[in-house]
Amino acid sequence: MRALVQRVLRASVSVDGETVSEIGPGLLVLLGVSRADGPEQAERLARRVRSLRVFPDAAGNMNEPLGERELLCVSQFTLYADTRRGNRPGFAEAAPGEAAEPLYERFCELAGARRGVFGAAMQVELVNDGPVTLLLEA
């Protein structure tokens, strides 16, 4: 399981021109699920994301965790793209939707995340803060 985590001032996700979820200051997580992932990976990654100390403390150092800030999670199977050959990415490592969706939902539940719409064509808007962007794997 992979999470591309971005510290944001705000973020939102829309489907067909309708905003389905939005947050203020917090984290935007683009979440990819591989064929090898199970509930253990979702649980471990949710704990790691919530514990990341990427927010400034009183001295301005990245030392504070998410705390009461918000979290938005968007499914992103393309995080498992294989681009080693040719110009067209392959997605053989990405879990099929029926296997990935329950793990995505489990991650969101444990992390306390607002959600995009699994499997939908989404438009994601964000204002990256810092910028701070991290890639985590479970």
Side-chain angles (χ1 to χ4, degrees):
M1 192 169 275
R2 290 180 180 154
L4 184 68
V5 180
Q6 298 178 77
R7 188 176 76 187
V8 298
L9 294 176
R10 65 180 176 277
S12 66
V13 61
S14 301
V15 176
D16 295 327
E18 297 288 326
T19 300
V20 295
S21 200
E22 60 187 340
I23 63 168
L27 297 175
L28 170 64
V29 176
L30 304 178
L31 186 72
V33 179
S34 80
R35 291 181 178 275
D37 290 328
E40 307 81 31
Q41 285 77 24
E43 292 162 11
R44 189 172 74 191
L45 195 55
R47 281 193 308 272
R48 287 186 69 201
V49 167
R50 289 216 51 98
S51 299
L52 277 176
R53 294 171 26 178
V54 295
F55 293 93
D57 61 16
N61 298 317
M62 284 199 310
N63 201 29
E64 295 290 327
L66 184 64
E68 297 300 315
R69 296 172 190 91
E70 299 176 291
L71 196 148
L72 174 59
C73 185
V74 176
S75 60
Q76 187 77 51
F77 77 95
T78 59
L79 287 175
Y80 278 97
D82 182 355
T83 57
R84 292 175 290 181
R85 294 184 177 187
N87 294 319
R88 183 172 184 195
F91 300 102
E93 287 187 52
E98 60 273 5
E101 187 172 12
L103 296 175
Y104 165 77
E105 291 295 337
R106 182 74 177 139
F107 172 90
C108 290
E109 177 185 323
L110 292 170
R114 295 193 181 157
R115 298 164 172 87
V117 178
F118 187 90
M122 294 174 274
Q123 295 74 51
V124 180
E125 294 185 46
L126 67 128
V127 176
N128 198 317
D129 182 22
V132 174
T133 302
L134 304 167
L135 180 62
L136 303 178
E137 294 194 69

